[in-house]
Amino acid sequence: VVAARIGPDGSLVPEAEEADSVQELLHERVDSFRSARPLAASAGGGRRRGTVMLAKGASLSSLESAFGSADSVAGQSHTLQRLLTAQVDSLPHEMQTVLQTASAMGDALSSKALRDVHRQLDMKPEGSRLDECLRKLRGYRYLEFALDSKTYSFRSAMLRDVLYSNLPFEKRKRVHEATARGIVAEAARGDAKEAAFLSALKHYKTAENWGQVMLLAADAAEQALSCASWEEAVSVTTQASMLLRQHGGALAPLPPGSATRWLVLRGEALLALGNRAEATVTLGLAFDEGLERGSDLGRGARAQRART
Protein backbone atom coordinates (compact mmCIF):
# COMPACT_ATOMS: atom_id res chain seq x y z
CA VAL A 1 0.00 0.00 0.00
CA VAL A 2 1.36 3.42 -0.96
CA ALA A 3 0.42 6.55 0.99
CA ALA A 4 -0.82 9.47 -1.05
CA ARG A 5 -1.88 13.07 -0.62
CA ILE A 6 -3.99 15.56 -2.57
CA GLY A 7 -2.04 18.06 -4.62
CA PRO A 8 -2.94 21.75 -5.02
CA ASP A 9 -4.75 21.01 -8.29
CA GLY A 10 -6.93 18.29 -6.70
CA SER A 11 -5.04 15.34 -8.20
CA LEU A 12 -3.73 12.33 -6.29
CA VAL A 13 0.02 12.66 -5.54
CA PRO A 14 1.80 9.50 -4.27
CA GLU A 15 4.31 10.18 -1.50
CA ALA A 16 6.49 7.38 -2.82
CA GLU A 17 7.61 6.79 -6.39
CA GLU A 18 5.20 3.95 -7.18
CA ALA A 19 2.75 6.24 -9.01
CA ASP A 20 1.88 3.60 -11.59
CA SER A 21 0.99 1.10 -8.86
CA VAL A 22 -1.23 3.69 -7.20
CA GLN A 23 -3.14 4.42 -10.39
CA GLU A 24 -3.50 0.72 -11.16
CA LEU A 25 -5.02 0.11 -7.72
CA LEU A 26 -7.52 2.93 -8.18
CA HIS A 27 -8.37 1.80 -11.74
CA GLU A 28 -8.91 -1.70 -10.43
CA ARG A 29 -11.39 -0.44 -7.84
CA VAL A 30 -13.46 1.38 -10.47
CA ASP A 31 -13.21 -1.39 -13.06
CA SER A 32 -14.40 -4.00 -10.56
CA PHE A 33 -17.77 -2.23 -10.64
CA ARG A 34 -17.93 -1.50 -14.38
CA SER A 35 -20.61 -4.12 -14.95
CA ALA A 36 -22.69 -3.01 -11.98
CA ARG A 37 -26.11 -1.51 -12.60
CA PRO A 38 -25.94 2.30 -12.98
CA LEU A 39 -27.33 4.35 -10.11
CA ALA A 40 -29.67 6.23 -12.43
CA ALA A 41 -30.98 5.87 -15.97
CA SER A 42 -29.16 8.76 -17.54
CA ALA A 43 -29.60 9.66 -21.17
CA GLY A 44 -26.60 7.66 -22.33
CA GLY A 45 -24.58 4.65 -21.42
CA GLY A 46 -21.12 3.37 -22.11
CA ARG A 47 -18.69 2.51 -19.34
CA ARG A 48 -15.10 3.63 -19.51
CA ARG A 49 -11.96 2.94 -17.53
CA GLY A 50 -11.86 5.71 -14.94
CA THR A 51 -9.50 7.55 -12.63
CA VAL A 52 -10.42 7.91 -8.97
CA MET A 53 -9.10 10.81 -6.91
CA LEU A 54 -9.40 10.66 -3.14
CA ALA A 55 -10.97 13.23 -0.87
CA LYS A 56 -8.68 15.76 0.76
CA GLY A 57 -6.64 14.26 3.57
CA ALA A 58 -7.28 10.67 2.45
CA SER A 59 -4.64 8.08 1.67
CA LEU A 60 -4.53 4.73 -0.05
CA SER A 61 -4.15 3.14 3.38
CA SER A 62 -7.49 4.60 4.46
CA LEU A 63 -9.01 3.57 1.13
CA GLU A 64 -7.91 -0.02 1.60
CA SER A 65 -9.13 0.07 5.20
CA ALA A 66 -12.54 1.33 4.09
CA PHE A 67 -12.83 -1.40 1.48
CA GLY A 68 -11.62 -4.03 3.92
CA SER A 69 -14.24 -3.11 6.48
CA ALA A 70 -17.07 -3.25 3.92
CA ASP A 71 -18.76 -6.62 4.37
CA SER A 72 -20.16 -6.96 0.84
CA VAL A 73 -19.68 -5.93 -2.78
CA ALA A 74 -22.51 -3.44 -2.30
CA GLY A 75 -20.72 -2.02 0.72
CA GLN A 76 -17.51 -1.62 -1.27
CA SER A 77 -19.44 0.05 -4.09
CA HIS A 78 -20.99 2.51 -1.63
CA THR A 79 -17.56 3.23 -0.17
CA LEU A 80 -16.21 4.10 -3.60
CA GLN A 81 -19.26 6.25 -4.32
CA ARG A 82 -18.68 8.19 -1.11
CA LEU A 83 -15.03 8.76 -2.03
CA LEU A 84 -16.03 10.02 -5.48
CA THR A 85 -18.65 12.33 -3.98
CA ALA A 86 -16.19 13.68 -1.43
CA GLN A 87 -13.64 14.42 -4.13
CA VAL A 88 -16.17 16.33 -6.25
CA ASP A 89 -17.31 18.25 -3.15
CA SER A 90 -13.75 19.52 -2.71
CA LEU A 91 -13.81 21.21 -6.14
CA PRO A 92 -14.75 24.89 -6.66
CA HIS A 93 -18.51 25.39 -6.98
CA GLU A 94 -18.33 26.30 -10.69
CA MET A 95 -16.58 23.03 -11.55
CA GLN A 96 -19.10 21.04 -9.53
CA THR A 97 -21.91 22.71 -11.49
CA VAL A 98 -20.28 21.90 -14.83
CA LEU A 99 -19.87 18.22 -13.86
CA GLN A 100 -23.47 18.02 -12.64
CA THR A 101 -24.83 19.50 -15.88
CA ALA A 102 -22.63 17.26 -18.01
CA SER A 103 -23.82 14.14 -16.14
CA ALA A 104 -27.35 14.65 -17.52
CA MET A 105 -26.46 15.60 -21.09
CA GLY A 106 -25.31 12.29 -22.57
CA ASP A 107 -22.24 10.22 -23.36
CA ALA A 108 -20.34 12.98 -25.13
CA LEU A 109 -20.96 16.71 -25.22
CA SER A 110 -19.39 19.73 -26.82
CA SER A 111 -18.54 22.92 -24.98
CA LYS A 112 -21.01 24.66 -27.30
CA ALA A 113 -23.87 22.39 -26.18
CA LEU A 114 -22.99 22.85 -22.52
CA ARG A 115 -22.78 26.64 -22.92
CA ASP A 116 -26.20 26.59 -24.60
CA VAL A 117 -27.78 24.65 -21.70
CA HIS A 118 -26.28 27.05 -19.13
CA ARG A 119 -27.51 30.03 -21.18
CA GLN A 120 -31.04 28.61 -21.42
CA LEU A 121 -31.20 27.94 -17.69
CA ASP A 122 -29.37 31.13 -16.67
CA MET A 123 -26.69 29.07 -14.91
CA LYS A 124 -23.10 29.95 -14.08
CA PRO A 125 -20.41 29.60 -15.33
CA GLU A 126 -20.95 30.83 -18.88
CA GLY A 127 -18.89 31.52 -21.98
CA SER A 128 -15.12 31.52 -21.66
CA ARG A 129 -15.36 30.86 -17.92
CA LEU A 130 -17.19 27.59 -18.63
CA ASP A 131 -14.57 26.61 -21.24
CA GLU A 132 -11.86 27.25 -18.64
CA CYS A 133 -13.66 24.94 -16.18
CA LEU A 134 -13.82 22.21 -18.83
CA ARG A 135 -10.10 22.52 -19.52
CA LYS A 136 -9.28 22.30 -15.82
CA LEU A 137 -11.56 19.29 -15.32
CA ARG A 138 -9.78 17.62 -18.22
CA GLY A 139 -6.43 18.46 -16.62
CA TYR A 140 -7.62 17.03 -13.29
CA ARG A 141 -8.66 13.88 -15.19
CA TYR A 142 -12.36 14.06 -14.43
CA LEU A 143 -13.11 14.47 -18.14
CA GLU A 144 -11.44 13.36 -21.33
CA PHE A 145 -11.48 15.14 -24.68
CA ALA A 146 -11.92 13.52 -28.11
CA LEU A 147 -10.05 15.64 -30.63
CA ASP A 148 -11.80 14.19 -33.71
CA SER A 149 -15.33 14.97 -32.48
CA LYS A 150 -14.31 17.88 -30.20
CA THR A 151 -16.41 16.46 -27.37
CA TYR A 152 -15.89 15.85 -23.67
CA SER A 153 -16.88 12.71 -21.77
CA PHE A 154 -16.42 11.36 -18.25
CA ARG A 155 -13.32 9.25 -17.63
CA SER A 156 -15.26 7.31 -15.00
CA ALA A 157 -18.81 6.17 -15.74
CA MET A 158 -19.32 5.51 -12.03
CA LEU A 159 -18.50 9.15 -11.27
CA ARG A 160 -21.08 10.25 -13.81
CA ASP A 161 -23.69 7.93 -12.28
CA VAL A 162 -22.96 9.26 -8.78
CA LEU A 163 -23.27 12.88 -9.93
CA TYR A 164 -26.49 12.18 -11.82
CA SER A 165 -28.11 10.31 -8.96
CA ASN A 166 -27.36 13.20 -6.59
CA LEU A 167 -29.11 15.75 -8.82
CA PRO A 168 -32.61 16.73 -7.63
CA PHE A 169 -35.26 15.56 -10.09
CA GLU A 170 -36.40 19.09 -10.99
CA LYS A 171 -32.86 20.16 -11.88
CA ARG A 172 -32.32 16.95 -13.84
CA LYS A 173 -35.59 17.60 -15.68
CA ARG A 174 -34.58 21.16 -16.62
CA VAL A 175 -31.18 20.03 -17.93
CA HIS A 176 -32.73 17.24 -20.02
CA GLU A 177 -35.32 19.61 -21.48
CA ALA A 178 -32.73 22.29 -22.27
CA THR A 179 -30.48 19.67 -23.90
CA ALA A 180 -33.39 18.44 -26.03
CA ARG A 181 -34.30 22.00 -27.10
CA GLY A 182 -30.70 22.59 -28.16
CA ILE A 183 -30.65 19.38 -30.22
CA VAL A 184 -33.92 20.27 -31.98
CA ALA A 185 -32.66 23.80 -32.70
CA GLU A 186 -29.51 22.38 -34.29
CA ALA A 187 -31.65 20.01 -36.36
CA ALA A 188 -33.70 22.96 -37.62
CA ARG A 189 -30.48 24.65 -38.77
CA GLY A 190 -29.27 21.47 -40.40
CA ASP A 191 -26.30 21.16 -38.03
CA ALA A 192 -27.51 18.16 -36.04
CA LYS A 193 -26.34 14.57 -36.14
CA GLU A 194 -28.31 11.91 -38.00
CA ALA A 195 -30.40 10.73 -35.03
CA ALA A 196 -30.99 14.17 -33.50
CA PHE A 197 -34.75 13.87 -33.01
CA LEU A 198 -34.38 10.41 -31.51
CA SER A 199 -31.78 11.75 -29.06
CA ALA A 200 -33.97 14.74 -28.15
CA LEU A 201 -36.97 12.46 -27.59
CA LYS A 202 -34.95 10.35 -25.13
CA HIS A 203 -34.11 13.47 -23.12
CA TYR A 204 -37.79 14.48 -23.04
CA LYS A 205 -38.77 10.96 -21.96
CA THR A 206 -36.27 11.05 -19.11
CA ALA A 207 -37.68 14.46 -18.11
CA GLU A 208 -41.21 12.95 -18.30
CA ASN A 209 -42.27 15.72 -20.68
CA TRP A 210 -44.89 13.63 -22.48
CA GLY A 211 -46.24 16.48 -24.62
CA GLN A 212 -42.86 16.94 -26.29
CA VAL A 213 -42.49 13.17 -26.61
CA MET A 214 -45.69 13.14 -28.68
CA LEU A 215 -44.61 16.12 -30.79
CA LEU A 216 -41.24 14.53 -31.64
CA ALA A 217 -42.48 10.96 -32.03
CA ALA A 218 -42.91 10.94 -35.82
CA ASP A 219 -39.55 12.58 -36.59
CA ALA A 220 -37.81 10.32 -34.07
CA ALA A 221 -39.45 7.21 -35.54
CA GLU A 222 -38.41 8.22 -39.05
CA GLN A 223 -34.83 8.64 -37.88
CA ALA A 224 -34.95 5.27 -36.14
CA LEU A 225 -36.15 3.71 -39.42
CA SER A 226 -33.35 5.43 -41.36
CA CYS A 227 -30.86 3.93 -38.88
CA ALA A 228 -32.47 0.46 -39.20
CA SER A 229 -33.48 0.64 -35.52
CA TRP A 230 -36.79 -1.11 -36.10
CA GLU A 231 -37.53 -1.92 -32.45
CA GLU A 232 -36.85 1.70 -31.50
CA ALA A 233 -39.30 2.92 -34.13
CA VAL A 234 -41.98 0.52 -32.86
CA SER A 235 -41.35 1.60 -29.26
CA VAL A 236 -41.53 5.33 -30.05
CA THR A 237 -44.74 5.15 -32.06
CA THR A 238 -46.43 2.74 -29.63
CA GLN A 239 -45.73 5.07 -26.71
CA ALA A 240 -47.00 8.10 -28.63
CA SER A 241 -50.24 6.29 -29.53
CA MET A 242 -50.72 5.24 -25.89
CA LEU A 243 -50.22 8.82 -24.69
CA LEU A 244 -52.77 10.05 -27.22
CA ARG A 245 -55.32 7.48 -26.04
CA GLN A 246 -54.73 8.36 -22.39
CA HIS A 247 -54.59 12.14 -22.65
CA GLY A 248 -56.05 13.09 -26.01
CA GLY A 249 -54.73 16.45 -27.18
CA ALA A 250 -54.34 17.81 -23.66
CA LEU A 251 -50.56 17.27 -23.53
CA ALA A 252 -49.64 19.08 -26.73
CA PRO A 253 -51.26 20.70 -29.82
CA LEU A 254 -50.49 17.92 -32.29
CA PRO A 255 -50.22 18.60 -36.04
CA PRO A 256 -53.11 17.14 -38.11
CA GLY A 257 -52.57 13.53 -39.10
CA SER A 258 -50.05 12.78 -36.33
CA ALA A 259 -51.79 9.57 -35.22
CA THR A 260 -52.00 8.32 -38.81
CA ARG A 261 -48.33 9.06 -39.37
CA TRP A 262 -47.35 7.13 -36.22
CA LEU A 263 -49.35 4.11 -37.35
CA VAL A 264 -47.81 4.15 -40.84
CA LEU A 265 -44.28 4.35 -39.41
CA ARG A 266 -45.06 1.59 -36.91
CA GLY A 267 -46.39 -0.60 -39.70
CA GLU A 268 -43.22 -0.05 -41.75
CA ALA A 269 -41.04 -0.97 -38.76
CA LEU A 270 -43.08 -4.12 -38.10
CA LEU A 271 -42.72 -5.13 -41.75
CA ALA A 272 -38.94 -4.68 -41.48
CA LEU A 273 -38.99 -6.94 -38.41
CA GLY A 274 -40.88 -9.58 -40.38
CA ASN A 275 -44.08 -9.26 -38.34
CA ARG A 276 -46.44 -9.18 -41.30
CA ALA A 277 -49.62 -10.00 -39.37
CA GLU A 278 -49.29 -7.13 -36.89
CA ALA A 279 -48.04 -4.82 -39.65
CA THR A 280 -51.20 -5.51 -41.68
CA VAL A 281 -53.43 -4.73 -38.70
CA THR A 282 -51.47 -1.54 -37.92
CA LEU A 283 -51.58 -0.29 -41.50
CA GLY A 284 -55.30 -1.08 -41.60
CA LEU A 285 -55.78 1.14 -38.55
CA ALA A 286 -53.72 3.85 -40.26
CA PHE A 287 -55.94 3.62 -43.32
CA ASP A 288 -59.11 3.89 -41.24
CA GLU A 289 -57.69 6.82 -39.24
CA GLY A 290 -56.55 8.62 -42.38
CA LEU A 291 -59.80 7.96 -44.22
CA GLU A 292 -61.77 9.40 -41.34
CA ARG A 293 -59.67 12.57 -41.43
CA GLY A 294 -59.25 12.72 -45.22
CA SER A 295 -55.47 12.35 -44.94
CA ASP A 296 -53.16 11.44 -47.81
CA LEU A 297 -51.30 9.27 -45.30
CA GLY A 298 -54.40 7.12 -45.00
CA ARG A 299 -54.40 6.47 -48.73
CA GLY A 300 -50.69 5.71 -48.54
CA ALA A 301 -51.37 3.27 -45.73
CA ARG A 302 -53.93 1.50 -47.89
CA ALA A 303 -51.32 1.06 -50.64
CA GLN A 304 -48.77 -0.16 -48.11
CA ARG A 305 -51.24 -2.63 -46.63
CA ALA A 306 -52.01 -3.95 -50.12
CA ARG A 307 -48.32 -4.70 -50.61
CA THR A 308 -48.19 -6.75 -47.41
Side-chain angles (χ1 to χ4, degrees):
V1 175
V2 181
R5 60 183 174 82
I6 297 298
D9 62 354
S11 62
L12 183 66
V13 181
E15 292 179 352
E17 295 182 356
E18 293 89 343
D20 290 342
S21 299
V22 171
Q23 287 299 327
E24 278 306 308
L25 174 60
L26 296 176
H27 279 307
E28 179 185 331
R29 289 304 187 189
V30 172
D31 289 346
S32 66
F33 296 102
R34 288 174 69 195
S35 60
R37 184 177 179 180
L39 298 175
S42 53
R47 302 200 160 268
R48 296 181 177 85
R49 188 176 181 84
T51 295
V52 180
M53 293 184 286
L54 301 180
K56 189 172 182 178
S59 68
L60 286 182
S61 298
S62 62
L63 174 62
E64 283 298 292
S65 174
F67 273 95
S69 62
D71 58 1
S72 65
V73 171
Q76 292 186 0
S77 176
H78 293 154
T79 298
L80 183 52
Q81 291 163 24
R82 287 195 298 272
L83 288 166
L84 291 169
T85 300
Q87 181 62 20
V88 171
D89 287 345
S90 70
L91 290 171
H93 178 71
E94 284 188 336
M95 291 189 193
Q96 293 183 44
T97 301
V98 169
L99 287 174
Q100 289 166 357
T101 305
S103 73
M105 288 183 65
D107 283 338
L109 60 139
S110 65
S111 62
K112 177 184 174 183
L114 198 120
R115 288 198 307 271
D116 178 63
V117 168
H118 274 217
R119 179 190 56 77
Q120 288 188 57
L121 301 179
D122 196 23
M123 292 171 61
K124 306 293 183 185
E126 294 180 301
S128 60
R129 183 66 181 167
L130 187 148
D131 287 336
E132 183 183 348
C133 285
L134 285 171
R135 285 193 293 270
K136 286 184 177 179
L137 288 167
R138 178 190 177 191
Y140 298 164
R141 304 188 72 188
Y142 285 93
L143 300 175
E144 56 189 7
F145 183 72
L147 190 59
D148 54 346
S149 61
K150 295 182 172 57
T151 56
Y152 290 89
S153 57
F154 280 90
R155 292 182 62 88
S156 164
M158 179 177 277
L159 172 60
R160 179 185 163 190
D161 289 342
V162 168
L163 285 162
Y164 186 83
S165 68
N166 288 337
L167 276 179
F169 174 74
E170 284 305 317
K171 184 172 182 179
R172 230 185 284 174
K173 177 183 172 75
R174 290 196 300 272
V175 173
H176 280 300
E177 290 178 336
T179 303
R181 286 193 295 269
I183 293 170
V184 172
E186 283 202 350
R189 294 192 300 266
D191 299 333
K193 60 183 180 180
E194 185 178 346
F197 288 112
L198 193 56
S199 177
L201 180 133
K202 289 177 180 177
H203 279 286
Y204 278 129
K205 280 177 68 175
T206 307
E208 298 181 10
N209 188 329
W210 306 121
Q212 289 298 323
V213 166
M214 291 171 70
L215 285 172
L216 284 180
D219 289 327
E222 282 187 346
Q223 289 192 333
L225 286 171
S226 71
C227 300
S229 299
W230 319 123
E231 293 90 351
E232 192 85 63
V234 171
S235 173
V236 166
T237 51
T238 299
Q239 183 172 37
S241 298
M242 266 176 41
L243 288 167
L244 184 61
R245 285 197 301 272
Q246 290 171 358
H247 303 282
L251 292 177
L254 295 174
S258 292
T260 306
R261 191 177 173 198
W262 298 337
L263 289 167
V264 171
L265 292 167
R266 185 172 188 273
E268 290 178 3
L270 289 167
L271 277 177
L273 288 168
N275 192 338
R276 296 174 65 87
E278 192 173 350
T280 302
V281 172
T282 300
L283 291 169
L285 292 172
F287 169 65
D288 294 340
E289 175 78 18
L291 192 64
E292 181 181 336
R293 300 180 183 277
S295 167
D296 290 338
L297 279 169
R299 289 185 283 276
R302 178 174 59 183
Q304 183 79 299
R305 183 175 62 172
R307 287 196 292 272
T308 64

